[in-house]
Amino acid sequence: MMGLATATVAMFSGCSTPPTDTGTPGSAGSASGVAGSTSGTAGGSGGATGAAGTTGAAGATGAAGATGAAGAAGAAGANGAAGATGVAGMAGTAGATGTAGATGTAGTGAAGCPTGVKGHCNADTGAVDKYPGFHLALAEEFDQPVDLDKDPIWTWSDGGPPEGQARFNKSQITFANGQMIITAIKQSVPPSTSYAEPDQNKTTGTASARSVLSGEFRTKYNNYRYGRYDVKFQAPVENGGTGPDGNFLSTMFTFRTPKWKQWRELDNELEANIKNKVAYNVVNADNAGGYPGGDSGNLAPPGIATFSIQTMHTYIIEWLPTKVTWYVDGQMLRSNNNTAPGVPTISAKIMMNLWVFAGDGPVT
C-alpha cells in the first residue's frame, strides 16, 4: 500500500512570529530530537557554488642526506657509496613548488531557498509572499532525499497510533521524482521503546507490537503555530488496486507532543471509506488521559466535481488566533470560527503519516 505521495510541503507564517519551543524532542531512533525550524514547504536544495581550490603549499626543501657512517668493513653511508670509509651522503634537493588547487565547479542543484526561508527549495517554490499577510517560512520540494537522521528540520517517528495495525519506521519513508512516499507493508513488528511519544512524566514511551509497518514524516520540535500550511498529496491505492479496500488514514496535520500534557491538533485526513470527502479535526485539551474529542467532520470539496482522495490535490490549513480554515485546491472547505473546543494557541509539530487500522481491508 503506497500513500502520501507528496510533491510540496509549505508553511507561510502570519499574524505573529511562531514561537521557538525546543522542549520536546521528536523521535528519530535516538533519545534526543534535533531542533526544528519555523514551518514549511519545498524540496531539493540548490547546489552551492563550489569553493575555489586553495593554492598548494610550496614543497619543503629536502633535508640534506646524512653523512655515511664509517664502515668497519666498508658499510654504506646514507646515500653514500660503500667503501672503506663511508662517503658523505648527497645533499637533498629542494622540494618542488606545489601547484595551485583547481577552482571548484558550480553545483548542479536548483536554486536555494530565498533569504529567511528554511527547508529545501527549487525554482518552483514560488513567491515568498504568495498569500497577502503571510510570509513563506519553510518549503520542502523533495527534489533530493531528506536525511531523516541529520536534517535540521525533519525527522521520522518510531512510534505508532494506539489504534489499529500500524507501527512507524524510517524505512517506510522514501523519496523519488520530487515526491516523498510513505509505504505500508504487512510485517510483524515487535514491541520496543519509542522516542516519538513519551509516556506520562517520562522521556520515552512504549510502542506495542503491530502487524503493519508504515511511516511518519515529522518536524523535530513543536516550533509551528499561526500560518498557512500547504501540502500537495494523495491517498494510497490500496493493495495495488487489485485487493480489497483498505482501512487507512493518509494525513497532513499539526500535532503537539507529548499529547498527554497539551494535546493540540489540526487535521487534514484522507480516509479509505470516504474517498470523495476530506475529514477535518481540531483538538485542544490539557492533561487528557485519552482522546478528548474535538470539532470534527468530513465534507466534499465544493467546486471540484470529480474529487477523489486518490488523485493529487493541494490541501491547506489556515491557522489563525481566532479561527481555523481548510481549503482544497483554493476552494474553502470549512471555517471554524473558534467553535468548541477553541483554536489552539500554542505551537506544534508538522506531521504526515499513513495509518492502517484493524478490521476490514488489511494490507496484503
Side-chain angles (χ1 to χ4, degrees):
M1 175 184 286
M2 301 188 72
L4 203 61
T6 308
T8 303
V9 181
M11 188 275 182
F12 297 81
S13 64
C15 301
S16 69
T17 302
T20 299
D21 175 4
T22 57
T24 306
S27 84
S30 67
S32 60
V34 184
S37 90
T38 317
S39 273
T41 102
S45 62
T49 300
T54 57
T55 302
T61 302
T67 302
N79 293 331
T85 300
V87 181
M90 298 285 293
T93 57
T97 301
T99 57
T103 300
T105 56
T108 57
C113 288
T115 301
V117 178
K118 297 183 183 295
H120 306 95
C121 306
N122 65 22
D124 296 329
T125 296
V128 173
D129 298 332
K130 181 177 179 180
Y131 304 110
F134 296 89
H135 302 286
L136 182 61
L138 185 149
E140 198 60 57
E141 301 285 0
F142 299 120
D143 287 337
Q144 301 294 330
V146 176
D147 188 330
L148 296 174
D149 292 321
K150 297 180 181 179
D151 191 81
I153 299 167
W154 302 102
T155 187
W156 55 283
S157 169
D158 63 358
E163 308 88 349
Q165 307 176 70
R167 271 276 304 283
F168 300 142
N169 190 273
K170 179 176 66 173
S171 62
Q172 301 313 109
I173 304 171
T174 56
F175 304 90
N177 303 317
Q179 296 180 332
M180 183 270 290
I181 302 167
I182 293 179
T183 304
I185 60 173
K186 188 75 172 177
Q187 179 175 316
S188 295
V189 187
S192 67
T193 298
S194 170
Y195 298 94
E197 177 66 33
D199 293 336
Q200 189 164 357
N201 299 319
K202 295 184 179 180
T203 58
T204 61
T206 302
S208 58
R210 289 287 184 262
S211 59
V212 171
L213 190 64
S214 189
E216 179 174 87
F217 182 74
R218 54 157 65 181
T219 56
K220 291 183 173 179
Y221 282 86
N222 295 313
N223 281 352
Y224 304 88
R225 192 170 58 169
Y226 305 135
R228 287 178 72 112
Y229 297 78
D230 289 28
V231 61
K232 186 177 182 181
F233 76 115
Q234 67 191 55
V237 175
E238 308 96 311
N239 303 309
T242 59
D245 282 355
N247 186 10
F248 66 81
L249 287 179
S250 185
T251 66
M252 186 282 285
F253 58 110
T254 63
F255 189 88
R256 185 177 179 88
T257 60
K259 64 184 180 183
W260 52 262
K261 184 176 182 180
Q262 295 170 310
W263 196 323
R264 303 294 188 270
E265 182 176 358
L266 300 175
D267 293 322
N268 246 325
E269 298 177 339
L270 309 182
E271 300 186 16
N273 60 342
I274 49 171
K275 290 185 170 63
N276 302 111
K277 294 183 179 181
V278 178
Y280 63 87
N281 189 30
V282 178
V283 179
N284 189 23
D286 293 331
N287 305 310
Y291 178 66
D295 174 29
S296 62
N298 56 79
L299 295 169
I304 307 176
T306 58
F307 174 79
S308 169
I309 64 172
Q310 292 175 334
T311 56
M312 196 74 81
H313 296 279
T314 298
Y315 300 86
I316 295 175
I317 298 175
E318 185 180 86
W319 178 9
L320 302 180
T322 58
K323 66 178 180 179
V324 180
T325 306
W326 292 262
Y327 299 87
V328 180
D329 293 346
Q331 302 290 319
M332 190 177 81
L333 183 72
R334 184 177 186 276
S335 186
N336 172 331
N337 291 301
N338 212 13
T339 302
V343 174
T345 59
I346 55 178
S347 58
K349 294 178 172 70
I350 301 170
M351 300 185 182
M352 286 160 281
N353 63 29
L354 178 59
W355 290 26
V356 179
F357 290 97
D360 51 26
V363 173
T364 57

